[in-house]
Amino acid sequence: RWTATFDVTENGWHEYQVVAWVDRFLTWRRDLKLKAGAGQDVSVELLEGSLLIRDAANRVAERESRWLLQRADALTESTPQADRIAAALGDELAAAMANSTDRSRATESPVRRVWVDRVRARFGAWYEMFPRSAGPDPTRSATFREAAAQLPRIADMGFDVLYLPPIHPIGTSFRKGRNNALRAAPDDPGSPWAIGSPAGGHTAVDPGLGTLDDFEAFRCEAERNDLEIALDLAWQCSPDHPWVQEHPEWFRHRPDGTIKYAENPPKKYQDIYPLDFECEEWPALWQALRDVTLFWVERGVRIFRVDNPHTKTFGFWEWMIDEVHARHPDVLFLSEAFTRPALMRYLAKAGFTQSYTYFTWRNTKAELTEYFTELTTSEVREYLRPNL
């Protein structure tokens, strides 16, 4: 078996192909060396080599061709056989012949592709922060500027990535209270995954945290501490999201005309409306979600933790990740999908850089051994990067 490697220096798709052929000159050179070393008469072998060199001269430019023809003549001249053998085995001739090999009968593999990520895709220690809870006053939401005071402490612990759950305005309709209570107290902030209010949707910042400028200042301060910000991509809306009024066609409606809210029986999430990825206006919806992602990429975010991707149309992820990578190949996507192994593997192949895993459900030594053996020695290791 033959193996080869190649180095890559840029992110993105790379293509490679395996081409195999018989190098008749190298084979002849090897045999000549063996026979000459055994003291055999190799006059016929030198004639064969001369023909191989003349054939190669027809495949190169005129200057190289003249040089090769001179070497071919040297193998058939009436000079001592030892001198002709030395000329045949010379490194300069071998190098010239290597540049003019006959590949007319080569066997070619299909062209294959490999996606190359930056180093952060391979490893990163993540720290999750709710910025509204990282301030000096527990009776109100902290601002981004107040939460920034925690960044040096997080960096000192050795973390690489600072993951922020949704930072967008939170809806008030059906807002949940503490411990998922159906009625929220006046001061309850609600779930940040209930995205959208009159203050804006997925491209806005919750007023309690500050402004977009405050977010960018927070991101810059994180980078100054060698922390990279990861944002949550949660494709869902609160009943107060601007899209509910502007694009009702993007949601699934029930027979009574109401929009279907999220459920995971027995749990009900009345404060969250899932988007309908298969609605008649799906191209406009898909483009809007891509544009939201690019909005944050343009503000310096290069890592996204994607909420429940397995509950969305798989074709969407293939399309959207490819669209983002075409512009910014350094963007990483983490799949938060606790689903069947086949689906988790599919999401990894669809373009997700990292993936949540079942690690937290493996408790015994046997279970852990079996799972890590699968993750590190089976075919899965080629495309699924587990975030443990």
Side-chain angles (χ1 to χ4, degrees), residues 148-346:
Q150 300 289 334
L151 296 176
R153 178 181 65 86
I154 296 170
D156 286 345
M157 288 190 284
F159 288 96
D160 308 296
V161 178
L162 182 67
Y163 156 55
L164 304 180
I167 58 174
H168 316 298
I170 301 172
T172 56
S173 296
F174 304 102
R175 175 176 286 187
K176 295 297 182 70
R178 296 188 179 193
N179 301 317
N180 208 35
L182 293 180
R183 293 185 180 276
D187 294 331
D188 285 340
S191 167
W193 281 272
I195 298 170
S197 77
H202 285 76
T203 56
V205 170
D206 186 81
L209 296 173
T211 64
L212 279 171
D213 289 340
D214 293 328
F215 167 77
E216 296 206 39
F218 180 83
R219 179 186 59 77
C220 290
E221 182 64 15
E223 291 179 358
R224 195 179 69 81
N225 284 273
D226 294 326
L227 289 167
E228 189 169 355
I229 296 295
L231 280 189
D232 202 291
L233 283 185
W235 296 143
Q236 59 206 32
C237 301
S238 84
D240 307 313
H241 196 292
W243 285 352
V244 175
Q245 298 298 321
E246 297 169 2
H247 297 284
E249 69 277 9
W250 289 354
F251 301 89
R252 189 163 294 167
H253 294 259
R254 299 194 295 183
D256 63 358
T258 59
I259 295 177
K260 186 176 180 62
Y261 56 77
E263 293 185 79
N264 184 16
K267 298 177 182 178
K268 295 183 178 182
Y269 305 105
Q270 297 91 338
D271 54 340
I272 292 176
Y273 287 168
L275 292 160
D276 184 2
F277 284 75
E278 299 174 4
C279 64
E280 292 186 4
E281 299 299 323
W282 64 266
L285 170 62
W286 288 24
Q287 291 169 18
L289 298 178
R290 175 203 61 191
D291 292 345
V292 167
T293 307
L294 292 174
F295 176 89
W296 292 107
V297 171
E298 289 161 3
R299 280 152 185 79
V301 179
R302 290 295 189 274
I303 303 179
F304 295 94
R305 178 264 198 192
V306 181
D307 190 63
N308 285 315
H310 58 294
T311 63
K312 318 298 187 293
T313 302
F314 289 164
F316 165 75
W317 295 121
E318 295 181 15
W319 173 83
M320 194 202 82
I321 293 174
D322 193 52
E323 286 277 303
V324 173
H325 278 163
R327 299 165 174 80
H328 305 280
D330 59 334
V331 174
L332 310 180
F333 294 91
L334 168 63
S335 166
E336 183 266 329
F338 294 112
T339 183
R340 296 187 297 279
L343 299 189
M344 295 174 71
R345 293 171 183 175
Y346 180 87

Side-chain angles (χ1 to χ4, degrees), residues 333-338 343-345 347-348 352-358 371 383-388:
F333 294 91
L334 168 63
S335 166
E336 183 266 329
F338 294 112
L343 299 189
M344 295 174 71
R345 293 171 183 175
L347 289 167
F352 280 93
T353 321
Q354 296 183 6
S355 175
Y356 277 15
T357 72
Y358 289 100
Y371 193 51
Y383 58 86
L384 188 148
R385 288 198 193 96
N387 188 307
L388 302 173

